[in-house]
Amino acid sequence: MKVYASVLKLRLLIGMQYRSAALAGVATQFFWGFISIMVFEAFYEHTSITPPISLKELITYIWLQQAFLAFIMLWFRDNELFDLITSGNIAYELCRPTDLYGFWYAKLLAQRLSSALLRCYPILLVAFFLPKPYNMTLPPNAITFILFIITLLLGLLLLVAISMFLYISVFITLSPMGSLLLFGVTGEFFAGLIIPIPLMPLWLQKIAYVLPFRWTADFPFRVYSGHIAQSDAIIGVFIQLGYLLGLLWLGKLALNNVLKRVVVQGG
Amino acid sequence: MIKVEGITKSFKVAKRSTGLLQATKALFYREHTIVEALKDITFSIEPGEIVGYIGPNGAGKSTTIKIMSGILVPDGGKCSIMGFTPWKNRVEYVKNIGVVFGQRSQLWWDVPVIDSFELLKDIYYVPQQEYKSTLDLLIETLDLQDIINSPVRQLSLGQRMRCEIAASLIHNPQILFLDEPTIGLDAVSKIAVRQFIKAINQEKGVTVVLTTHDMNDIEALANRVILIGKGSLLYDGKLEELRKRFGTHKTITADYRKNSNSIDIPGTSIIHWSPEHAVLSIDTEQILTSDVITQLSKKVDLLDVTIESQPIEDIIVQLYKEFQI
């Protein structure tokens, strides 16, 4: 456990070095958040039916999305790991007395945590004090908030487990671009990051509900706004856990498999 | 300590000729050639030895090191290091070894060196007390005081290499594998690295296996050399033996008063000649060095003579030629 704690510490230290990157990120996310909200606002004004998610809930959804970008985006990657695999520096990782899956999982988790810790506060803080209707609102009650925290963190663990497959695939393809695009586009779409899942057509919703992606973002955000009832949220936590354990097991299996075939080329 | 028996390893390499047509063809059908990187390699190394593992580029040196450090799985053969089979008990085994790959880096690029060391300390579960004393020793002997707080990206190659070596010794391994530790270093750094390797071998009894292309490394460090070429083991023994067996040539450089007579001596060949200066190569199996000098002094008025043994580099080149590798 100590190993994982010190990986996290080191990652945080690295993250802190790039303050201007964090600031630029915050600015971009504000911009993006406003654009999304205004687009949805325009749609909502001219709709004749009652939308399945209210504008207020949607705005909260979008601000949470922007604040916890590092928790939910599949394209948010650790290039160092890609370099390790493609350059052969992985030779060193294999000389360490640690389980590689756990070690990398910790690295990725730490990277996302450090990045989100630096960026989420300013976004959340400002989003609360924005003029109506652009402002973020508090969750309906304390239990909902606790449920949100639990589901958000489980979602993060789940996302890192999903992203591990991206890195494992690079052992075979040796280039991260293809996997990144494929994982990024499908994963983010079905996590409801482009169109919130309640706004998708029914048949598409059905697909999204079967895949693991929505449990990383759509689910915790809707728990926050109260769009998902508390009882459903508790069931959801178990589904998240189920997915998490399944994907961890599969990922470990896959990684051990590719490691057996790994060839570190060159002198 | 290290026992390698009949290790073989081959790689499948895709073959493709140049040209667009060939490239298109390769999309559908690829020819593969099997490259035998290691053929039946056997040797054993005792605790406390420093062994130089040499051979031309592509001989299989790094492959052997990678197999011995548990990164590659060989196709056949046995390997037992401290009772472990490296690729089978990887996690248990690697606690006991340190590895430096001269062409790769294990330090975190963006943070000060010391932070990488701290992480390694936790990865290897080194107790704080032990870490402190090891680190002090490493800082002192490798002269890291001034660089340990700088981010790795700001270090020169020589500085980084010293840190790399220190990093692989944080956990006090009993065996150290060095794959080209002096590659790209300047003379001063090379000497520092060599002295350090010697010191840890003598003081802590660390067994060292090092591959290198710099024969000075071998001369300074290794009593024993293992020579491989094209995947086969060609020589395993003392460096001195190698010199005796193959280094039978000496070079005599002579300065003398102006003399235009030729200085042809049987058993020698003239490499360079001028009326005041000559360089002779002698074969000590045919003629003794002292005889050459006696004969030389009869023919010319000698002013200065230097005798040089054949440099180890030349011996190796000659060896490579002899074994056709």
Side-chain angles (χ1 to χ4, degrees), chain B residues 243-252 266-269 281-292 307-310:
Chain B
R243 210 196 268 287
K244 266 188 207 150
R245 249 172 73 187
F246 300 98
T248 52
H249 288 265
K250 283 191 197 303
T251 313
I252 295 184
T268 68
S269 55
S281 163
I282 67 169
D283 184 348
T284 49
E285 280 180 334
Q286 288 183 40
I287 186 165
L288 288 173
T289 320
S290 54
D291 289 349
V292 178
I307 305 164
E308 280 170 89
S309 295
Q310 195 177 7

Side-chain angles (χ1 to χ4, degrees), chain A residues 6 89 92 94 96 264 266, chain B residues 66 90 101 104 106 110 122:
Chain A
S6 38
N89 273 346
Y92 272 122
L94 291 171
R96 305 275 180 246
V264 178
Chain B
K66 282 172 199 160
R90 191 182 69 79
F101 296 105
R104 313 197 184 283
Q106 60 182 323
D110 287 325
D122 290 337

Side-chain angles (χ1 to χ4, degrees), chain B residues 230-303:
Chain B
K230 286 190 185 158
S232 303
L233 197 121
L234 300 174
Y235 176 84
D236 179 358
K238 285 214 159 83
L239 186 66
E240 283 310 305
E241 295 283 324
L242 195 71
R243 210 196 268 287
K244 266 188 207 150
R245 249 172 73 187
F246 300 98
T248 52
H249 288 265
K250 283 191 197 303
T251 313
I252 295 184
T253 313
D255 291 311
Y256 39 80
R257 292 225 168 82
K258 202 161 185 176
N259 186 330
S260 47
N261 293 339
S262 89
I263 43 168
D264 203 15
I265 300 166
T268 68
S269 55
I270 297 164
I271 297 171
H272 171 81
W273 183 88
S274 75
E276 288 166 329
H277 179 83
V279 181
L280 301 177
S281 163
I282 67 169
D283 184 348
T284 49
E285 280 180 334
Q286 288 183 40
I287 186 165
L288 288 173
T289 320
S290 54
D291 289 349
V292 178
I293 295 178
T294 317
Q295 290 196 38
L296 204 61
S297 62
K298 280 177 192 159
K299 291 184 187 219
V300 293
D301 292 336
L302 282 176
L303 293 174

Side-chain angles (χ1 to χ4, degrees), chain A residues 1-3 6-7 10-11 13-14 17-18 80 87-89 91-98 103 107 262-267, chain B residues 11 62 66 69 71-72 90-91 94-95 99-101 103-106 108 110-111 115 119-125 153 164 179:
Chain A
M1 264 344 257
K2 209 178 158 201
V3 184
S6 38
V7 171
L10 197 51
R11 259 287 162 213
L13 282 176
I14 295 175
Q17 286 187 358
Y18 300 111
E80 222 166 86
S87 73
N89 273 346
Y92 272 122
E93 302 279 285
L94 291 171
C95 295
R96 305 275 180 246
T98 46
F103 191 50
K107 267 192 189 178
V262 74
V263 174
V264 178
Q265 292 171 331
Chain B
F11 295 109
S62 295
K66 282 172 199 160
S69 47
I71 295 166
L72 283 183
R90 191 182 69 79
V91 172
V94 293
K95 280 180 196 156
V99 190
V100 174
F101 296 105
Q103 306 194 13
R104 313 197 184 283
S105 178
Q106 60 182 323
W108 288 48
D110 287 325
V111 292
D115 287 333
L119 180 66
L120 286 169
K121 177 194 91 179
D122 290 337
I123 288 177
Y124 285 99
Y125 295 100
R153 57 162 187 264
E164 296 275 355
D179 193 0

Side-chain angles (χ1 to χ4, degrees), chain B residues 176-189:
Chain B
L176 185 60
F177 294 115
L178 301 167
D179 193 0
E180 304 190 24
T182 54
I183 195 165
L185 299 191
D186 66 18
V188 179
S189 305

Side-chain angles (χ1 to χ4, degrees), chain A residues 118-129:
Chain A
L118 279 174
R119 294 166 200 210
C120 74
Y121 297 117
I123 297 181
L124 288 178
L125 205 71
V126 177
F128 271 113
F129 293 105

Side-chain angles (χ1 to χ4, degrees), chain B residues 25-70:
Chain B
K25 215 174 109 193
L27 282 177
F28 304 100
Y29 175 74
R30 264 203 278 187
E31 279 178 73
H32 292 278
T33 39
I34 303 290
V35 176
E36 284 186 80
L38 293 176
K39 299 174 218 169
D40 195 20
I41 299 284
T42 302
F43 57 83
S44 71
I45 295 170
E46 297 303 316
E49 273 193 282
I50 301 185
V51 177
Y53 198 57
I54 55 174
N57 287 327
K61 301 184 299 290
S62 295
T63 307
T64 318
I65 296 280
K66 282 172 199 160
I67 288 174
M68 288 198 290
S69 47

